[in-house]
DNA sequence: CAAGACTAAACTGTCGACAATCGACGCTTA
DNA sequence: TAAGCGTCGATTGTCGACAGTTTAGTCTTG
């Protein structure tokens, strides 16, 4: 007989997840550029600064390494990843591949509810455009694209998108600011949603290509301007 | 003036890369099914068995977690990942997405040399088919597909393929044996190479779809037969 | 006899310590 | 004077230990 009270949707509390916290803080420091690309990440230094021992810091660093934010050099330590123009191309090329696929799947799974979520996120993008907050703008932009991946309903694909997003955030972070006209950016999401609603795979791919290709060219241009 | 002795082609030695070694051994144990899906991976046990302390084992386990072979549950430890039918679909769906893209890129970059490498790998597949060694057959199969990703010349994409491959190896491992007729499998690679040589994106995608779709259906069928 | 309380063993998360290694700086020598 | 060799502080790789939590097993009780 079942005597346990039914689940109420409470989040499992982790209490002590030092590794996760350290990873989050390190990620922030990296994408915000407080840790410059190429610079060394000294375990003991981070540990002391955060008031923890080196063990959790090491594990967190390994996580960021897998995510591509740090690179490990045996017996020399971790370094903040440097992005060359080639890296940008690799990342955006893969992003294109992933989001094309996600968009086609999303179109297949689209329901009135998910359609509205996308619609609303575009509204948010327009609203955010008025705020002078580039970081926020970038976040809401990703949220739209992430939504597409969520609707695609492939966990593995969603995780890949998140990994790529953290790399892209880092690139964007080191560029500084990206958007000339946030409203323009917000508008360019409209045809993507329209294509997904209509549902023709080729049309979807074409609009995704155009939208992401635009970002790719912009970011590529700006990165090439930076001395590296 | 340059007085350093010129490079002699010596391989960089890692000497002490316990984490890497442990990760490799753990991976083997997982894909070979010696660690059953769902079973707990006790840090101290692994450490004792390997004659090392828990620290490297923990870091290795985190690596495998990121690769999707283990799942971590806070304060309860690591467990060997269980695959549901949905997971298979997610993985193969993503694989399809990735390899379509890789094949199109590979066609664009194809040179006589890389063409011959692919050709030779198909020969190897045929030779391996005579040996009664399913594991080897699977490895050589992956090697062909990995070659395509290498020729595509996108590092990020290659890493993704490797991650997916380790997940697929695990799935294959728990199925037991996959191939009814290894020669048949070897033959089905021919049209893929042919399509890449010809270079029409649509034809390439079609053949990749057929080839991988075949594996997907086979694996999916077998996994659904297993009680899980 | 099953649900819950209690207890002991096992395990994880974290820490501080120590040896091995790396990188920078100054010293030697041709 | 610059290449090459020691030397020394800084840093990583690894370990053993300890506290707090989870789990399995036993006991109690309605």
């Amino acid at each position: 007989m079942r005597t346990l009270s039914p689940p109420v949707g409470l989040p499992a509390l982790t209490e002590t997840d030092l590794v996760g916290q350290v990873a989050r803080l390190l990620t922030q420091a990296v994408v915000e550029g407080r840790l410059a690309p190429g610079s060394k990440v000294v375990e003991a230094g981070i540990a002391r600064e955060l008031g923890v021992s080196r063990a959790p810091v090491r594990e967190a660093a390994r996580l960021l390494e897998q995510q591509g934010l740090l690179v490990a050099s045996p017996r020399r330590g971790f370094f903040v990843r440097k992005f060359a123009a080639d890296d940008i191309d690799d990342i955006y090329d893969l992003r294109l591949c992933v989001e094309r696929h996600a968009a086609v799947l999303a179109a297949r799974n689209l329901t009135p509810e998910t359609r509205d979520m996308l619609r609303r996120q575009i509204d948010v993008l327009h609203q955010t455009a008025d705020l002078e907050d580039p970081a926020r703008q970038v976040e809401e932009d990703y949220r739209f694209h992430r939504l597409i991946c969520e609707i695609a309903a492939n966990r593995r694909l969603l995780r890949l998108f998140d990994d790529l997003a953290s790399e892209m955030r880092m690139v964007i972070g080191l560029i500084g600011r990206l958007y000339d006209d946030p409203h323009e950016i917000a508008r360019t999401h409209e045809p993507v949603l329209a294509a997904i609603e209509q549902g023709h795979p080729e049309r979807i791919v074409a609009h995704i290509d155009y939208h992401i290709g635009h970002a790719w060219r912009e970011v590529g241009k700006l990165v090439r301007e930076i001395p590296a």
Side-chain angles (χ1 to χ4, degrees), chain A residues 66-101:
Chain A
Q66 271 295 96
Q67 285 202 339
L69 297 194
L70 302 182
V71 294
S73 176
R75 273 169 297 187
R76 295 175 6 91
F78 294 91
F79 298 81
V80 180
R81 172 157 171 207
K82 268 192 203 158
F83 286 93
D86 285 355
D87 293 316
I88 312 291
D89 289 339
D90 282 1
I91 293 169
Y92 271 90
D93 176 59
L94 188 54
R95 176 182 176 185
L96 200 56
C97 162
V98 168
E99 292 207 38
R100 276 176 187 161
H101 193 67

Side-chain angles (χ1 to χ4, degrees), chain A residues 22 63 72 76 87 129 150 160 199 220:
Chain A
V22 173
L63 272 180
R76 295 175 6 91
D87 293 316
E150 285 184 52
L160 173 57

Side-chain angles (χ1 to χ4, degrees), chain A residues 5-217:
Chain A
S5 59
V8 204
L10 296 175
L13 42 80
T14 44
E15 186 78 16
T16 63
D17 179 19
L18 281 194
V19 175
Q21 289 180 253
V22 173
R24 218 178 346 266
L25 291 171
L26 267 182
T27 302
Q28 274 187 12
V30 168
V31 302
E32 288 173 9
R34 298 203 319 270
L35 283 168
S39 64
K40 189 159 165 23
V41 178
V42 180
E43 298 169 9
I46 305 293
R48 191 147 26 80
E49 194 162 343
L50 296 177
V52 300
S53 77
R54 278 174 49 216
V57 175
R58 278 181 69 89
E59 295 190 19
R62 275 240 145 69
L63 272 180
L64 298 210
E65 188 206 352
Q66 271 295 96
Q67 285 202 339
L69 297 194
L70 302 182
V71 294
S73 176
R75 273 169 297 187
R76 295 175 6 91
F78 294 91
F79 298 81
V80 180
R81 172 157 171 207
K82 268 192 203 158
F83 286 93
D86 285 355
D87 293 316
I88 312 291
D89 289 339
D90 282 1
I91 293 169
Y92 271 90
D93 176 59
L94 188 54
R95 176 182 176 185
L96 200 56
C97 162
V98 168
E99 292 207 38
R100 276 176 187 161
H101 193 67
V104 172
L105 289 180
R108 196 180 302 163
N109 299 345
L110 202 65
T111 65
E113 292 80 44
T114 51
R115 198 208 75 94
D116 287 347
M117 291 170 76
L118 288 170
R119 175 78 258 154
R120 274 199 301 274
Q121 187 56 30
I122 293 185
D123 293 342
V124 170
L125 273 170
H126 276 113
Q127 291 159 22
T128 315
D130 293 324
L131 286 50
E132 287 289 324
D133 188 346
R136 175 79 188 283
Q137 184 77 16
V138 169
E139 268 324 293
E140 298 297 348
D141 194 329
Y142 282 139
R143 206 183 296 275
F144 177 83
H145 292 272
R146 190 175 195 279
L147 256 178
I148 293 178
C149 293
E150 285 184 52
I151 297 169
N154 178 331
R155 293 184 180 192
R156 194 64 181 69
L157 182 143
L158 182 60
R159 193 161 75 74
L160 173 57
F161 175 83
D162 283 336
D163 284 354
L164 282 173
S166 73
E167 293 182 83
M168 290 186 285
R169 257 187 283 266
M170 182 170 169
V171 173
I172 304 260
L174 70 87
I175 286 174
R177 48 187 302 289
L178 172 65
Y179 296 129
D180 288 327
D181 180 359
H183 283 286
E184 164 70 12
I185 301 288
R187 260 195 304 280
T188 62
H189 286 79
E190 312 264 10
V192 171
L193 174 52
I196 291 178
E197 289 181 56
Q198 293 175 248
H200 285 288
E202 281 139 36
R203 186 167 311 213
I204 295 173
V205 169
H207 281 282
I208 286 278
D209 280 14
Y210 178 80
H211 179 76
I212 295 183
H214 179 71
W216 186 349
R217 280 187 300 276

